[in-house]
Amino acid sequence: QMLLVRHGQSVWNAQGRWQGQADMPLSSEGLAQSAMAALRLAAIGDEGADAVPGMGFQQIQGLSAVYSSDMIRAQETARIICGQAGLATSVNETRLRERSVGEWSGLTYNQVQRRWPGYLKRRLLPPSYETDDMVLPRVLAALDAIRQQHPGESVLLVCHAGIIYAIEAYLKAQAGSRNPRRRYRIGNLGSRWVIWDGARFKLGRRVNLLAGFEASDGVEED
């Protein structure tokens, strides 16, 4: 089983800018968030022994490895988690890097609204945006390689919101969801369990490493 974790707040997250593959570092808040998540991970074993694997925190104590996107905001998050939780250094995995947002990179929500009127409301994308169909081959290949490297083990993957959304939509569709592409915002240090059942990947619960379990998938993303 794998816990896919979104990195801490970056400097562009703090400014409300679309980021994509722009390689921005963590903000001071993001550094603090990552440290809080690390402390939570280090103390998870006290959260109860009755949860189903992939549905709670306690399994994290048996982590075999930490992988990270090669982007600096993910690497910094992974470094802090590994250091404070007493885990080994993370392994960089380039296939976990964030999707490209093309022409919107560096723009704020209001700037996108002005320069691309109607796009956000109608969920339209700029020409160079990396769609789910473009992202999934590399991400699924990474997940498959990692699960083969760690059979029967628990692994933490520090990655990005766009990667988690793409995996969620794909696995919801595989499970027969009627609206798999409906997205719910995942905040910094939010995460999603992905479970290998011996034949395929399936979704476990979302987990917020800063606030505990989310009662549901939350509020639909803007």
Side-chain angles (χ1 to χ4, degrees), residues 31-45:
L31 293 169
Q33 289 173 339
S34 300
M36 286 189 288
L39 293 174
R40 186 67 183 274
L41 289 169
I44 302 184

Side-chain angles (χ1 to χ4, degrees), residues 99-117:
R99 73 174 82 223
S100 171
V101 296
E103 294 81 357
W104 291 359
S105 183
L107 301 182
T108 64
Y109 183 90
N110 288 336
Q111 287 172 331
V112 171
Q113 290 276 60
R114 289 197 301 270
R115 300 182 193 183
W116 303 79

Side-chain angles (χ1 to χ4, degrees), residues 4 13 15 21 26 28 33-34 37 92 109 124 128 139 141 149-150 154 159 165 168 175 199-200 206:
L4 277 60
N13 288 154
Q15 296 170 11
Q21 293 183 352
L26 295 182
S28 58
Q33 289 173 339
S34 300
N92 285 349
Y109 183 90
L124 300 177
S128 300
V139 176
Q149 186 70 26
H150 302 278
S154 296
C159 54
Y165 292 145
E168 286 180 330
R200 62 185 179 88
R206 272 198 182 187

Side-chain angles (χ1 to χ4, degrees), residues 11-25:
V11 292
W12 273 13
N13 288 154
Q15 296 170 11
R17 297 185 184 279
W18 287 72
Q19 197 160 218
Q21 293 183 352
D23 208 8
M24 296 295 113

